[in-house]
Amino acid sequence: MTLLQLTGAMFIAYGPAFALFVFTIAKDPLRIIVMMAGMFFWLLSLLLSSIWWTAVVPLKDQLAFGVTFSVIFQEVGRFFYYKLLRKAEDGLQQFDTRAPQPQGRTQIDNTSHTSATEGTRHGYAYVAGLGFGMMSALFSFVNVLADAKGPGTVGIHEDPGHPLQAFLLTSAFLTMCFSLLHIVWNILFFYGFENRDYKAVVLVVATHFLISLLSLLDTQYLYHITLPISYAILLVLSVISFFVVGGSISNIKAALSCKNERSYDL
């Protein structure tokens, strides 16, 4: 039973992100590099927040203090990664077989090329966000999995009213939520700076703070509050991200009818 719980929780937490990696990134070496760089920047933000947490001794016991500055350093890391990708964009497109190639000098061709370039940038934002999300998920849930591997399961804080099974499942679903949130956060964050629409950047930072601080309620076993709100925010931001990258109702209808209306290769 312990092995089944462990396996199920692991697939819940990591399954969606791993599936996205397999179907959208694994066959493209350049995208793998971009994703790995995103994982590195998340690790760097974790290192900086850990150093800061260690240095400020009086507040080390305050969990909210650590969470707050962890979010700050993650968003700073996201910004610097955006700047790095923008500077390296020309070089990346030279090696990217999916990148658009201009066919002429007409206005129509230039418009098409510009649209395709924006699509490539959204693709990089998605890949980098998946890197952030996967590394975040690995670090946030691996200790829980290590404790759940057996030989048995016990209650949290030796409280039989709150068994590990409930904590394990809710932690798995929250981890999955964060891994997907980092994707939409990255898309909106990059879009905001690319188009100088800073409302999108503010939305990303605000929701990141909200969900991260909201997760502190889990110490009081208020999972029925944190999970619905987190997934509601994920749904809303996913819809916004869909339209930001150029999605439309007609795209959804085409996808449901198995029609391919893309004007260029992704």
Side-chain angles (χ1 to χ4, degrees):
M1 185 65 180
T2 303
L3 180 60
L4 292 177
Q5 291 174 352
L6 174 66
T7 305
M10 183 172 61
F11 284 150
I12 291 172
Y14 301 133
F18 181 73
L20 290 174
F21 168 76
V22 170
F23 290 110
T24 64
I25 296 177
K27 295 182 180 180
D28 191 330
L30 186 60
R31 289 193 171 192
I32 293 177
I33 294 173
V34 173
M35 187 192 75
M36 294 296 290
M39 299 173 77
F40 169 77
F41 270 84
W42 190 91
L43 281 175
L44 185 61
S45 69
L46 177 65
L47 174 63
L48 294 175
S49 60
S50 299
I51 294 173
W52 180 254
W53 175 78
T54 304
V56 186
V57 178
L59 297 177
K60 287 180 64 174
D61 295 332
Q62 300 297 322
L63 188 57
F65 167 76
V67 171
T68 299
F69 278 94
S70 176
V71 172
I72 292 174
F73 282 114
Q74 285 181 50
E75 295 306 327
V76 171
R78 202 190 310 275
F79 171 75
F80 279 107
Y81 190 39
Y82 161 75
K83 299 296 288 184
L84 177 64
L85 279 179
R86 287 295 286 115
K87 288 182 178 296
E89 184 178 67
D90 293 339
L92 288 172
Q93 289 189 3
Q94 291 180 7
F95 296 98
D96 190 356
T97 57
R98 299 169 183 255
Q101 300 296 330
Q103 301 297 325
R105 296 180 176 272
T106 64
Q107 182 64 33
I108 296 178
D109 288 337
N110 289 335
T111 302
S112 177
H113 177 64
T114 301
S115 176
T117 301
E118 291 178 355
T120 302
R121 290 174 180 172
H122 292 316
Y124 287 146
Y126 156 77
V127 173
L130 185 58
F132 269 72
M134 290 184 70
M135 188 54 66
S136 171
L138 287 172
F139 265 82
S140 63
F141 196 58
V142 67
N143 289 335
V144 178
L145 287 178
D147 291 336
K149 69 180 186 299
T153 57
V154 295
I156 301 299
H157 301 302
E158 300 180 357
D159 182 1
H162 300 97
L164 179 62
Q165 291 90 329
F167 177 76
L168 189 64
L169 287 177
T170 51
S171 297
F173 277 106
L174 191 60
T175 300
M176 178 181 69
C177 184
F178 265 96
S179 67
L180 299 177
L181 275 169
H182 272 289
I183 297 175
V184 295
W185 279 335
N186 226 58
I187 292 173
L188 291 174
F189 192 89
F190 282 26
Y191 166 82
F193 279 105
E194 188 67 33
N195 295 275
R196 298 187 178 183
D197 185 1
Y198 299 115
K199 296 188 297 296
V201 178
V202 172
L203 178 63
V204 169
V205 177
T207 53
H208 196 172
F209 270 112
L210 174 61
I211 297 179
S212 297
L213 294 175
L214 195 65
S215 66
L216 297 177
L217 295 177
D218 290 347
T219 58
Q220 303 176 26
Y221 310 108
L222 298 177
Y223 308 122
H224 60 285
I225 296 178
T226 59
L227 281 178
I229 294 178
S230 299
Y231 275 91
I233 293 175
L234 173 62
L235 178 61
V236 172
L237 294 183
S238 297
V239 173
I240 296 174
S241 298
F242 174 74
F243 288 104
V244 158
V245 300
S248 63
I249 301 299
S250 60
N251 296 142
I252 300 176
K253 293 179 179 179
L256 294 176
S257 61
C258 300
K259 293 180 180 179
N260 187 351
E261 295 185 356
R262 293 176 296 181
S263 59
Y264 57 91
D265 294 333
L266 294 177

